[in-house]
Amino acid sequence: LFDGAADDTGSAADLAALLGLPILLVIDASRMGQSISALVAGFASHRADISIAGIILNRVGSERHRTMLERALAPLQIPILGVVPLQAALSLPSRHLGLVLADEHNALESFITQAAAVVTAHCDLQRIASLGFERPQGVPTDPLPPLGQHIAIARDDAFSFVYPHLLDGWRTQGASISFFSPLADEAPVSDADAIFLPGGYPELHAEKLSAAHHFRDRMQAAALADVLIYGECGGYMVLGDGLIDGNGRAHAMLGLLPVTTSFAKRTRHLGYRQLTSSALPGWTFNLRGHEFHYSSLEAMQKTEPLFHASDAAGTALGPVGQIVGRVMGSYMHVIDRVA
């Protein structure tokens, strides 16, 4: 709830305070007894500008365990709106960047049905719905300028991470957006004046991406035609010369940026970033972004950097990313402009 950037901003509690939203605190109670009272009391009193409107106790082991928890929490007078029993069937598989994607879950619909049945049986949905989670009105927005008038965006299991608010902002400014699947060996439409390869999991599909010759040929032709091509994180890796997977196997990528990335030795890079760039059209102001990846730079030729970066506390991280002509990319995921 309170974890955010290094400068103590950007947490879920900050968002709740900014938007005036109540907080429903979900607690993993599987290894807790009376100490749960101290935990909840600390969360409830830590900040005066937020409100804990209710509690859901998750992974409760038995009726005896439930009774123990409820007695411990009673003096706090915070409503307990759900007590969900411990069920192995409700666990979801994960990987190094979070949960396995929904499209890769073999029995997703049955999982959702079962989870819905458990939540319906063990949570007071009517009271939860009455807490007041309305969409806030009048929240100011200042969208980033679109990369072009027609932006072709890669979208499939290898390119699955893109902020919807970016696309919404581009559309409101008159840009048209189309999608294509590199995994299906599709290419961006010929009339696109900008191409965006967002983040995702290209390392899981490196062999298939390497064999997508139509995609590669059209991307190289677009670069020669001076189309703006921008890649973030996974998209940046695909723009490079090659990608080395977790088994140490090398796969040729698009060859549009002189960089090779590797998962052979995983190293975590994580944090919010402050960015400046003079290359992306209209993005000459200070930007906010984040970095989260386990791959590393195996080889990289020096080019003009895409960004100059610092962490959330303002510590300079130096130049990051690459630019070759109108092709550019970095590990950074851009979120918005700094107010």
Side-chain angles (χ1 to χ4, degrees):
L1 180 60
F2 302 113
D3 295 322
D7 63 350
D8 297 326
T9 64
S11 68
D14 281 336
L15 197 61
L18 175 67
L19 301 179
L21 295 173
I23 293 167
L24 183 61
L25 191 64
V26 182
I27 303 170
D28 181 352
S30 58
R31 292 175 176 84
M32 300 199 73
Q34 288 85 349
S35 294
I36 197 170
S37 181
L39 176 72
V40 174
F43 271 76
S45 62
H46 186 65
R47 285 179 56 162
D49 59 346
I50 64 168
S51 172
I52 306 295
I55 303 166
I56 291 179
L57 302 176
N58 192 27
R59 304 180 73 198
V60 175
S62 64
E63 281 299 313
R64 182 173 179 272
H65 188 201
R66 171 183 181 146
T67 300
M68 180 190 301
L69 297 171
E70 289 177 338
R71 286 176 177 171
L73 290 168
L76 301 181
Q77 297 184 324
I78 299 176
I80 298 173
L81 303 182
V83 181
V84 179
L86 177 63
Q87 294 193 22
L90 295 185
S91 296
L92 283 169
S94 62
R95 63 164 61 98
H96 54 269
L97 293 182
L99 294 176
V100 168
L101 298 177
D103 289 345
E104 301 175 54
H105 197 295
N106 293 329
L108 181 62
E109 291 302 323
S110 61
F111 173 85
I112 292 174
T113 299
Q114 183 174 4
V118 170
V119 170
T120 300
H122 298 282
C123 296
D124 190 337
L125 299 183
Q126 186 172 356
R127 291 183 68 190
I128 291 172
S130 70
L131 292 179
F133 294 103
E134 295 92 357
R135 180 174 180 174
Q137 300 297 319
V139 178
T141 59
D142 194 5
L144 293 174
L147 298 174
Q149 286 302 303
H150 186 160
I151 309 168
I153 301 177
R155 184 170 66 177
D156 54 29
D157 288 347
F159 301 93
S160 55
F161 189 94
V162 62
Y163 285 118
H165 74 268
L166 282 181
L167 308 190
D168 291 342
W170 292 345
R171 290 186 179 104
T172 61
Q173 295 173 83
S176 60
I177 293 173
S178 60
F179 298 96
F180 65 99
S181 169
L183 286 180
D185 203 11
E186 296 176 355
V189 292
S190 59
D191 62 344
D193 58 349
I195 300 169
F196 178 26
L197 302 186
Y201 294 101
E203 70 275 15
L204 300 180
H205 309 278
E207 185 173 358
K208 194 169 184 178
L209 288 170
S210 183
H213 301 297
H214 180 59
F215 163 61
R216 181 189 63 204
D217 293 346
R218 290 288 295 275
M219 289 293 292
Q220 292 175 346
L224 290 173
D226 213 27
V227 173
L228 174 69
I229 301 175
Y230 172 58
E232 288 186 345
C233 200
Y236 173 50
M237 293 188 281
V238 173
L239 288 175
D241 290 326
L243 188 158
I244 300 172
D245 65 24
N247 296 317
R249 294 176 298 184
H251 305 271
M253 293 289 108
L254 294 175
L256 298 178
L257 291 175
V259 62
T260 298
T261 52
S262 175
F263 285 85
K265 295 181 180 179
R266 297 200 313 169
T267 304
R268 188 174 71 168
H269 305 264
L270 172 65
Y272 286 104
R273 303 290 183 248
Q274 300 178 41
L275 309 167
T276 58
S277 175
S278 59
L280 285 161
W283 294 15
T284 55
F285 33 73
N286 294 329
L287 299 164
R288 268 187 291 249
H290 85 273
E291 182 177 11
F292 188 8
H293 58 94
Y294 282 85
S295 66
S296 57
L297 298 174
E298 180 76 10
M300 183 177 75
Q301 294 182 26
K302 187 175 181 179
T303 70
E304 181 184 352
L306 177 56
F307 296 116
H308 288 271
S310 59
D311 66 17
T315 302
L317 302 176
V320 295
Q322 294 177 297
I323 303 172
V324 174
R326 295 256 291 168
V327 180
M328 56 198 74
S330 79
Y331 275 119
M332 306 299 119
H333 296 270
V334 175
I335 300 172
D336 60 10
R337 70 175 78 196
V338 177

